PDB file of all heavy atoms in Angstrom:
ATOM      1  N   ALA B  83     -25.305-319.897 100.647  1.00 96.00           N
ATOM      2  CA  ALA B  83     -25.880-320.805  99.653  1.00 96.00           C
ATOM      3  C   ALA B  83     -25.896-322.231 100.192  1.00 96.00           C
ATOM      4  O   ALA B  83     -26.875-322.964 100.027  1.00 96.00           O
ATOM      5  CB  ALA B  83     -25.079-320.728  98.352  1.00 96.00           C
ATOM      6  N   LEU B  84     -24.815-322.616 100.850  1.00 96.00           N
ATOM      7  CA  LEU B  84     -24.730-323.968 101.406  1.00 96.00           C
ATOM      8  C   LEU B  84     -25.777-324.163 102.498  1.00 96.00           C
ATOM      9  O   LEU B  84     -26.484-325.174 102.527  1.00 96.00           O
ATOM     10  CB  LEU B  84     -23.324-324.201 101.950  1.00 96.00           C
ATOM     11  CG  LEU B  84     -23.047-325.573 102.582  1.00 96.00           C
ATOM     12  CD1 LEU B  84     -23.270-326.683 101.574  1.00 96.00           C
ATOM     13  CD2 LEU B  84     -21.630-325.632 103.127  1.00 96.00           C
ATOM     14  N   GLU B  85     -25.882-323.196 103.378  1.00 96.00           N
ATOM     15  CA  GLU B  85     -26.864-323.308 104.461  1.00 96.00           C
ATOM     16  C   GLU B  85     -28.277-323.355 103.899  1.00 96.00           C
ATOM     17  O   GLU B  85     -29.122-324.120 104.368  1.00 96.00           O
ATOM     18  CB  GLU B  85     -26.700-322.126 105.424  1.00 96.00           C
ATOM     19  CG  GLU B  85     -25.430-322.201 106.256  1.00 96.00           C
ATOM     20  CD  GLU B  85     -25.315-321.053 107.244  1.00 96.00           C
ATOM     21  OE1 GLU B  85     -25.668-319.918 106.872  1.00 96.00           O
ATOM     22  OE2 GLU B  85     -24.877-321.293 108.381  1.00 96.00           O
ATOM     23  N   ASP B  86     -28.543-322.543 102.890  1.00 95.00           N
ATOM     24  CA  ASP B  86     -29.871-322.551 102.276  1.00 95.00           C
ATOM     25  C   ASP B  86     -30.165-323.907 101.656  1.00 95.00           C
ATOM     26  O   ASP B  86     -31.272-324.432 101.763  1.00 95.00           O
ATOM     27  CB  ASP B  86     -29.969-321.456 101.211  1.00 95.00           C
ATOM     28  CG  ASP B  86     -30.056-320.067 101.838  1.00 95.00           C
ATOM     29  OD1 ASP B  86     -30.179-319.991 103.068  1.00 95.00           O
ATOM     30  OD2 ASP B  86     -29.989-319.073 101.090  1.00 95.00           O
ATOM     31  N   ALA B  87     -29.168-324.467 100.980  1.00 94.00           N
ATOM     32  CA  ALA B  87     -29.368-325.746 100.314  1.00 94.00           C
ATOM     33  C   ALA B  87     -29.689-326.834 101.334  1.00 94.00           C
ATOM     34  O   ALA B  87     -30.542-327.685 101.105  1.00 94.00           O
ATOM     35  CB  ALA B  87     -28.131-326.118  99.517  1.00 94.00           C
ATOM     36  N   LEU B  88     -28.996-326.787 102.456  1.00 95.00           N
ATOM     37  CA  LEU B  88     -29.194-327.826 103.466  1.00 95.00           C
ATOM     38  C   LEU B  88     -30.410-327.527 104.328  1.00 95.00           C
ATOM     39  O   LEU B  88     -30.930-328.422 105.000  1.00 95.00           O
ATOM     40  CB  LEU B  88     -27.948-327.932 104.356  1.00 95.00           C
ATOM     41  CG  LEU B  88     -26.660-328.360 103.655  1.00 95.00           C
ATOM     42  CD1 LEU B  88     -25.478-328.224 104.593  1.00 95.00           C
ATOM     43  CD2 LEU B  88     -26.781-329.788 103.154  1.00 95.00           C
ATOM     44  N   GLY B  89     -30.839-326.283 104.319  1.00 94.00           N
ATOM     45  CA  GLY B  89     -31.941-325.919 105.195  1.00 94.00           C
ATOM     46  C   GLY B  89     -31.536-325.893 106.659  1.00 94.00           C
ATOM     47  O   GLY B  89     -32.365-326.068 107.545  1.00 94.00           O
ATOM     48  N   LEU B  90     -30.260-325.704 106.904  1.00 94.00           N
ATOM     49  CA  LEU B  90     -29.742-325.722 108.275  1.00 94.00           C
ATOM     50  C   LEU B  90     -28.683-324.635 108.422  1.00 94.00           C
ATOM     51  O   LEU B  90     -27.893-324.407 107.506  1.00 94.00           O
ATOM     52  CB  LEU B  90     -29.076-327.073 108.570  1.00 94.00           C
ATOM     53  CG  LEU B  90     -29.960-328.282 108.785  1.00 94.00           C
ATOM     54  CD1 LEU B  90     -29.149-329.557 108.624  1.00 94.00           C
ATOM     55  CD2 LEU B  90     -30.615-328.238 110.151  1.00 94.00           C
ATOM     56  N   ALA B  91     -28.641-323.998 109.586  1.00 94.00           N
ATOM     57  CA  ALA B  91     -27.541-323.086 109.878  1.00 94.00           C
ATOM     58  C   ALA B  91     -26.312-323.912 110.215  1.00 94.00           C
ATOM     59  O   ALA B  91     -26.413-324.949 110.866  1.00 94.00           O
ATOM     60  CB  ALA B  91     -27.907-322.165 111.036  1.00 94.00           C
ATOM     61  N   LEU B  92     -25.161-323.473 109.753  1.00 96.00           N
ATOM     62  CA  LEU B  92     -23.927-324.211 110.016  1.00 96.00           C
ATOM     63  C   LEU B  92     -23.045-323.496 111.022  1.00 96.00           C
ATOM     64  O   LEU B  92     -22.311-324.144 111.770  1.00 96.00           O
ATOM     65  CB  LEU B  92     -23.155-324.422 108.707  1.00 96.00           C
ATOM     66  CG  LEU B  92     -23.859-325.291 107.658  1.00 96.00           C
ATOM     67  CD1 LEU B  92     -23.072-325.322 106.362  1.00 96.00           C
ATOM     68  CD2 LEU B  92     -24.064-326.702 108.186  1.00 96.00           C
ATOM     69  N   VAL B  93     -23.044-322.179 111.018  1.00 94.00           N
ATOM     70  CA  VAL B  93     -22.190-321.442 111.953  1.00 94.00           C
ATOM     71  C   VAL B  93     -23.037-320.524 112.817  1.00 94.00           C
ATOM     72  O   VAL B  93     -24.054-319.992 112.380  1.00 94.00           O
ATOM     73  CB  VAL B  93     -21.097-320.622 111.216  1.00 94.00           C
ATOM     74  CG1 VAL B  93     -20.389-321.462 110.175  1.00 94.00           C
ATOM     75  CG2 VAL B  93     -21.681-319.386 110.586  1.00 94.00           C
ATOM     76  N   GLU B  94     -22.588-320.380 114.055  1.00 92.00           N
ATOM     77  CA  GLU B  94     -23.177-319.413 114.991  1.00 92.00           C
ATOM     78  C   GLU B  94     -22.523-318.080 114.716  1.00 92.00           C
ATOM     79  O   GLU B  94     -21.375-317.865 115.090  1.00 92.00           O
ATOM     80  CB  GLU B  94     -22.863-319.821 116.441  1.00 92.00           C
ATOM     81  CG  GLU B  94     -23.249-321.231 116.810  1.00 92.00           C
ATOM     82  CD  GLU B  94     -24.674-321.283 117.315  1.00 92.00           C
ATOM     83  OE1 GLU B  94     -25.389-320.271 117.137  1.00 92.00           O
ATOM     84  OE2 GLU B  94     -25.072-322.314 117.870  1.00 92.00           O
ATOM     85  N   ARG B  95     -23.244-317.155 114.117  1.00 85.00           N
ATOM     86  CA  ARG B  95     -22.597-315.899 113.744  1.00 85.00           C
ATOM     87  C   ARG B  95     -22.400-314.989 114.946  1.00 85.00           C
ATOM     88  O   ARG B  95     -21.667-314.012 114.895  1.00 85.00           O
ATOM     89  CB  ARG B  95     -23.425-315.171 112.688  1.00 85.00           C
ATOM     90  CG  ARG B  95     -23.205-315.743 111.295  1.00 85.00           C
ATOM     91  CD  ARG B  95     -24.436-316.480 110.848  1.00 85.00           C
ATOM     92  NE  ARG B  95     -24.192-317.551 109.871  1.00 85.00           N
ATOM     93  CZ  ARG B  95     -23.956-317.379 108.593  1.00 85.00           C
ATOM     94  NH1 ARG B  95     -23.828-316.195 108.107  1.00 85.00           N
ATOM     95  NH2 ARG B  95     -23.821-318.407 107.793  1.00 85.00           N
ATOM     96  N   ALA B  96     -23.119-315.271 116.042  1.00 80.00           N
ATOM     97  CA  ALA B  96     -23.023-314.381 117.194  1.00 80.00           C
ATOM     98  C   ALA B  96     -21.636-314.478 117.835  1.00 80.00           C
ATOM     99  O   ALA B  96     -20.971-313.467 118.038  1.00 80.00           O
ATOM    100  CB  ALA B  96     -24.100-314.739 118.213  1.00 80.00           C
ATOM    101  N   ALA B  97     -21.208-315.684 118.125  1.00 74.00           N
ATOM    102  CA  ALA B  97     -19.996-315.877 118.912  1.00 74.00           C
ATOM    103  C   ALA B  97     -18.745-315.401 118.170  1.00 74.00           C
ATOM    104  O   ALA B  97     -18.717-315.295 116.954  1.00 74.00           O
ATOM    105  CB  ALA B  97     -19.850-317.355 119.262  1.00 74.00           C
TER     106      ALA B  97
END
Side-chain angles (χ1 to χ4, degrees):
Chain B
L84 180 60
E85 289 182 320
D86 287 353
L88 297 171
L90 286 162
L92 296 175
V93 312
E94 306 271 13
R95 280 109 207 283

